[in-house]
């Protein structure tokens, strides 16, 4: 497949990504943060390019550190994954997101909720049952939830992952492949996993209209989403030029600072009113 070949070629000359040099935390500190309830989800809207309508929100966890202030996930997710804390962390994030979804419903907002899932979460064969019982406990439907899994981690040899993803899909949860373009999945592998949504990595979105390399990867990714019948989402939409480019390209949904920064749950109704008025 020519398309696939093109994508592979561009991928191998990976674009430079910003380097963040920030403090990372130790296992005990992260464990305490989870136990003491210091984790708080922020939420970032996903909107439809054609209409601007709010379609979903992605839960992005933050740590409200008593001394250091707002700590970003890059500084503690890796530690949680490596030291057996990610199941507890995902549980907190999921249950917070579902409670927030109930509150939004009371205010007339019904965005689909996206939660990031680590490969380590997919080792447990009972993960799908756990998610199903949480969603039911909050009076929501499986179709209200999307689980995002990062492409680069997905193709690593992960015991049970494919099995657990299939179980989730059979329970009618939606699956999203995150940071697409940064991993090395082939069309054949993608066909074997029942994804509903493909999120094109922000490295190929912002400035795609002005940069041929980005534009080529972006369009190859969009074509893969189309070929496999998945909803396409562009991440990292930072300005009006990005938006215009994506709209013309026929991408389905957009997420990024141009639309909204991640925000605490209570801020969503005011953002939505403001966004609709634009
Ligand atoms: P991600 O899932 O790819 O999430 C998108 C990241 O891009 C978020 O960073 C978001 O704030 C940022 N972003 C959104 N719009 C823009 C934009 O227009 N420009 C730029 N430059 N960046 C934008 P954040 O919140 O720091 O999260 C980083 C990563 O941490 C996430 O990447 C995800 O992989 C991971 N993460 C976040 N929350 C969780 C969680 O609850 N569980 C797990 N396992 N991972 C999480
Ligand atoms: Ca994500
Ligand atoms: Ca992403
Ligand atoms: Ca990412």
């Amino acid at each position: 497949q020519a398309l696939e070949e093109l994508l592979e070629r561009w991928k191998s000359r990976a674009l430079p990504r910003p380097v963040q040099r920030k403090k990372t935390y130790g296992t005990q500190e992260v464990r305490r943060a989870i136990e003491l309830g210091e984790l708080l989800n922020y939420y970032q809207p996903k909107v439809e390019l054609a209409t601007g309508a709010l379609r979903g929100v992605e839960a992005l966890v933050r740590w409200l550190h008593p001394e250091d202030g707002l700590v970003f996930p890059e500084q503690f997710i890796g530690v949680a994954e490596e030291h057996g804390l990610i199941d507890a962390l995902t549980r907190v994030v999921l249950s917070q997101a579902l409670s927030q979804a109930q509150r939004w419903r009371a205010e007339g907002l019904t965005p689909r909720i996206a939660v990031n899932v680590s490969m380590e979460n997919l080792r447990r064969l009972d993960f799908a049952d756990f998610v199903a019982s949480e969603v039911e406990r909050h009076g929501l439907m499986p179709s209200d939830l999307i689980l995002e899994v990062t492409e680069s981690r997905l193709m690593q040899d992960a015991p049970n992952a494919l099995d657990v993803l299939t179980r989730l899909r059979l329970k009618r949860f939606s699956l999203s492949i995150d940071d697409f373009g940064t991993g090395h999945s082939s069309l054949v592998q993608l066909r074997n996993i029942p994804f509903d949504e493909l999120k094109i990595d922000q490295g190929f979105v912002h400035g795609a209209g002005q940069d041929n390399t980005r534009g080529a990867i972006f369009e190859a990714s969009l074509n893969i989403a189309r070929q496999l019948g998945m909803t396409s989402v562009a991440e990292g939409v930072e300005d009006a030029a990005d938006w215009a480019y994506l709209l013309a390209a026929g991408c389905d949904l957009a997420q990024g600072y141009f639309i909204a920064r991640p925000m605490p749950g209570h801020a969503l109704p005011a953002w939505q009113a403001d966004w609709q008025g634009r």
Side-chain angles (χ1 to χ4, degrees), residues 42 142 163-164 212 260 278:
Y42 272 41
D163 188 353
V164 173
N212 290 339
R278 269 165 68 165

Side-chain angles (χ1 to χ4, degrees), residues 5-82:
E5 252 172 55
L6 175 70
L7 191 65
E8 284 307 316
R9 265 218 322 274
W10 289 122
K11 274 178 189 171
S12 58
R13 332 147 72 193
L15 296 175
R17 301 181 59 88
V19 187
Q20 280 188 14
R21 296 198 177 280
K22 282 194 214 141
K23 174 180 174 187
T24 55
Y25 293 84
T27 316
Q28 292 318 318
E29 292 170 288
V30 176
R31 188 193 307 279
R32 277 190 79 242
I34 298 170
E35 283 166 3
L36 295 176
E38 291 176 355
L39 300 185
L40 177 72
N41 290 348
Y42 272 41
Y43 300 90
Q44 189 178 33
K46 290 181 185 174
V47 302
E48 196 171 74
L49 275 145
T51 62
L54 174 66
R55 280 296 202 77
V57 293
E58 177 178 6
L60 294 160
V61 69
R62 272 91 182 93
W63 175 3
L64 300 185
H65 193 286
E67 279 115 46
D68 300 347
L70 197 71
V71 176
F72 288 85
E74 262 96 10
Q75 294 164 264
F76 59 93
I77 292 286
V79 173
E81 288 176 341
E82 282 157 33

Side-chain angles (χ1 to χ4, degrees), residues 58-60 114-116 148-150 176 178-179 199 235 255:
E58 177 178 6
L60 294 160
V115 168
N116 290 287
E148 297 191 4
V149 186
T150 301
S176 174
D178 201 359
D179 297 354
K199 296 186 80 173
E235 310 191 90
Q255 182 179 347

